[in-house]
Amino acid sequence: MPYSQLKVSGIDVFSAGEISGEGMQTAIQTLDGIRGTYKKVLMQAGKVRGAILFGDTAEGTALLGLLQRGADVVELVPSEGAPDPAEMAAAALPDQEAVCACNNVTKATIMKAIQDRGLETADQVKEHTKASGSCGGCRPMVAALVKHTHNQKNNGGAEAITRPEKTTDLPVCGCTELGHAGLKEALNHILASREDLMGLLEYPPAGTWQMNLTVIMQKLNWGSEHGCAVCRPAIRYYLQVSGHTTNEQETKSGQHSAVEERTILVPVDCGAEHVHEARIRWDDHTPLSSYARDTGSLAGQLRGRWKDAAMPSLVNIGVAPGPGSLVSALVQDIGLLASPAGWEIYAGGHAEHPVKEGGLLGVADTELQAAMIATACLQWYRQTAWYDEPLWAWAERLGFMAIREMLLDDQLQKELAAIRHNERGLTSESEGWLYRETPAVQGKA
């Protein structure tokens, strides 16, 4: 079923199925000039065949479900007392699904915050969880979740909201029954609670607020006091991508009063534990053709962006000046290949067993655009992958087409790239590539 969900000039747009053709008729068509929204659903022979949403795409998931199963148009008419389509879409979303991809906020985190803090609006949810605080594309779903949570509470479903969903994924290690999805959710819940956060902080001699990993494990009912070589780096990694850090020393008393005046965002010190990283290879020996480009400049940009960045798993990035290069862009985690159109960006390849060919993420006219797409993909991988999950496995789990459609959103690209930009502690002037474009470096004849 062909469908797309995009943001065009800051406006959410959704389309799915067939929107023209013989025998196609309009089932529903509404225009709200005040809210700036438009909805059109098409039918054929009494079946739902296509849909277009403009301005408010919260019903997109529900409409796509009707299209995929060839539902009768009668299902478009809500029964008396039935929830609106947006709320139905919110209810159908899995608890561990990321509603806000920019800030990696799940449905369960949002509903828990609404329930615990009595949040009433999407703006309040944004303030407490950061959901919809970046590109804003998920705001309709956040608003639907607010409505869904309160309706569920009013109908006696408060226990279901607060009761954790049993996860089906395998435990991270023998120290816990939590899988990676459950561990990330539990850590997000701890970090969302100011009271819990205060109990985790300590002020070591270096003069920077950090977290006590042992206390975190205690709160998570860990089976081992200090964890193991499998779970410790996983916890550290998930905390780092959330913007927090850990420290092994005992928490010092009398230091918590100054927390409000300090920023808790520093590099993770993993000690002797192994940290996954990004490795960049480029080919500067293959003779350049009429369109092949010098790879050193683009490789240097990416190396600067991702130097010392912790990754869920080892990431291989390859930059090739053209076909026949010593570096094969198609079997890299991230591959950039010079072409007559500029640069082709591939993701999800793997050169070892199982050998996999990467899929085409997009084509960029310039080096800066190519670096932006690659950086956005890597940052989204960092935020949504499980620890030790290779990029090719992540792409298969999320679905490559879904990843590509998300990354084609220019605004989301900038938001994801800006997260890495801010993590490195840079100012906007120090990396103008996030904010402006310059001509690509031309290849040698």
Side-chain angles (χ1 to χ4, degrees):
M1 174 64 63
Y3 78 96
S4 62
Q5 181 162 337
L6 308 170
K7 184 182 288 289
V8 181
S9 299
I11 300 174
D12 294 309
V13 179
F14 171 89
S15 67
E18 303 175 30
I19 59 176
S20 64
E22 184 177 354
M24 203 69 66
Q25 296 177 303
T26 299
I28 296 176
Q29 186 171 15
T30 60
L31 172 65
D32 188 333
I34 297 176
R35 296 176 58 219
T37 62
Y38 174 78
K39 171 183 174 181
K40 183 176 182 179
V41 181
L42 297 109
M43 63 180 180
Q44 186 181 53
K47 304 290 186 180
V48 181
R49 294 302 187 195
I52 301 172
L53 300 174
F54 181 90
D56 183 354
T57 60
E59 294 184 51
T61 303
L63 288 172
L64 182 60
L66 295 177
L67 288 164
Q68 289 175 334
R69 56 189 177 86
D72 293 330
V73 292
V74 69
E75 295 191 40
L76 293 171
V77 182
S79 59
E80 186 176 354
D84 63 37
E87 186 181 350
M88 293 173 62
L93 197 68
D95 285 355
Q96 302 301 333
E97 186 76 16
V99 174
C100 178
C102 298
N103 297 311
N104 194 27
V105 186
T106 65
K107 171 187 173 180
T109 298
I110 293 172
M111 293 184 68
K112 184 69 174 173
I114 295 169
Q115 172 70 13
D116 290 351
R117 301 174 183 273
L119 307 182
E120 300 283 347
T121 66
D123 285 335
Q124 291 176 340
V125 173
K126 178 175 68 174
E127 179 182 351
H128 288 279
T129 68
K130 298 183 180 180
S132 77
S134 295
C135 74
C138 60
R139 184 180 177 85
M141 180 56 74
V142 173
L145 282 171
V146 172
K147 184 176 181 180
H148 171 62
T149 304
H150 285 293
N151 285 340
Q152 191 171 350
K153 178 181 178 181
N154 294 335
N155 293 331
E159 181 181 354
I161 297 173
T162 57
R163 184 176 62 248
E165 182 184 76
K166 290 185 178 180
T167 180
T168 57
D169 57 345
L170 296 175
V172 173
C173 66
C175 303
T176 179
E177 295 181 357
L178 293 174
H180 285 278
L183 174 57
K184 291 181 72 173
E185 181 61 39
L187 290 172
N188 286 337
H189 177 63
I190 290 175
L191 299 177
S193 169
R194 189 171 186 81
E195 181 178 350
D196 287 342
L197 188 59
M198 294 300 177
L200 300 176
L201 297 176
E202 59 184 10
Y203 191 63
T208 307
W209 285 99
Q210 295 184 329
M211 288 189 184
N212 190 307
L213 188 60
T214 301
V215 176
I216 292 176
M217 291 180 175
Q218 291 174 354
K219 285 185 173 292
L220 297 176
N221 297 318
W222 229 242
S224 172
E225 181 179 3
H226 301 293
C228 67
V230 176
C231 62
R232 285 163 55 92
I235 294 176
R236 288 185 183 276
Y237 175 77
Y238 292 143
L239 289 171
Q240 182 181 17
V241 295
S242 70
H244 295 81
T245 62
T246 58
N247 187 276
E248 294 297 312
Q249 301 174 4
E250 293 296 326
T251 303
K252 298 182 179 179
S253 61
Q255 299 291 346
H256 295 168
S257 61
V259 171
E260 295 182 354
E261 302 175 4
R262 301 181 182 272
T263 299
I264 313 161
L265 181 58
V266 294
V268 171
D269 178 11
C270 292
E273 293 175 359
H274 177 68
V275 178
H276 298 305
E277 60 185 3
R279 297 178 180 175
I280 302 176
R281 299 174 60 227
W282 66 97
D283 178 6
D284 55 4
H285 297 293
T286 299
L288 302 181
S289 65
S290 58
Y291 67 82
R293 290 161 170 79
D294 182 3
T295 59
S297 176
L298 180 53
Q301 289 186 50
L302 292 171
R303 182 171 54 182
R305 311 296 180 247
W306 295 103
K307 181 181 179 181
D308 300 326
M311 291 288 175
S313 181
L314 174 65
V315 172
N316 290 305
I317 303 174
V319 186
S325 167
L326 298 175
V327 175
S328 176
L330 297 181
V331 291
Q332 309 294 325
D333 293 301
I334 299 289
L336 300 100
L337 175 66
S339 70
W343 290 94
E344 297 175 356
I345 300 92
Y346 296 86
H350 194 235
E352 301 175 5
H353 181 76
V355 177
K356 293 182 176 294
E357 181 176 301
L360 180 65
L361 275 181
V363 178
D365 295 332
T366 68
E367 287 184 3
L368 295 180
Q369 291 173 346
M372 175 74 80
I373 295 174
T375 295
C377 182
L378 284 170
Q379 184 59 36
W380 196 21
Y381 167 60
R382 295 179 78 212
Q383 293 179 204
T384 58
W386 310 145
Y387 188 75
D388 267 342
E389 181 178 33
L391 195 146
W392 65 265
W394 166 77
E396 288 189 350
R397 178 169 62 85
L398 267 62
F400 182 82
M401 292 300 295
I403 294 172
R404 184 170 71 177
E405 288 184 10
M406 289 287 291
L407 294 178
L408 287 177
D409 185 329
D410 291 340
Q411 182 61 33
L412 180 59
Q413 284 182 25
K414 292 179 181 178
E415 294 288 349
L416 290 170
I419 292 172
R420 174 58 185 158
H421 172 88
N422 294 333
E423 182 182 5
R424 296 170 62 212
L426 300 175
T427 64
S428 59
E429 291 79 8
S430 63
E431 278 205 341
W433 71 289
L434 281 175
Y435 306 97
R436 63 177 182 270
E437 284 290 307
T438 59
V441 175
Q442 298 299 315
K444 300 176 183 178

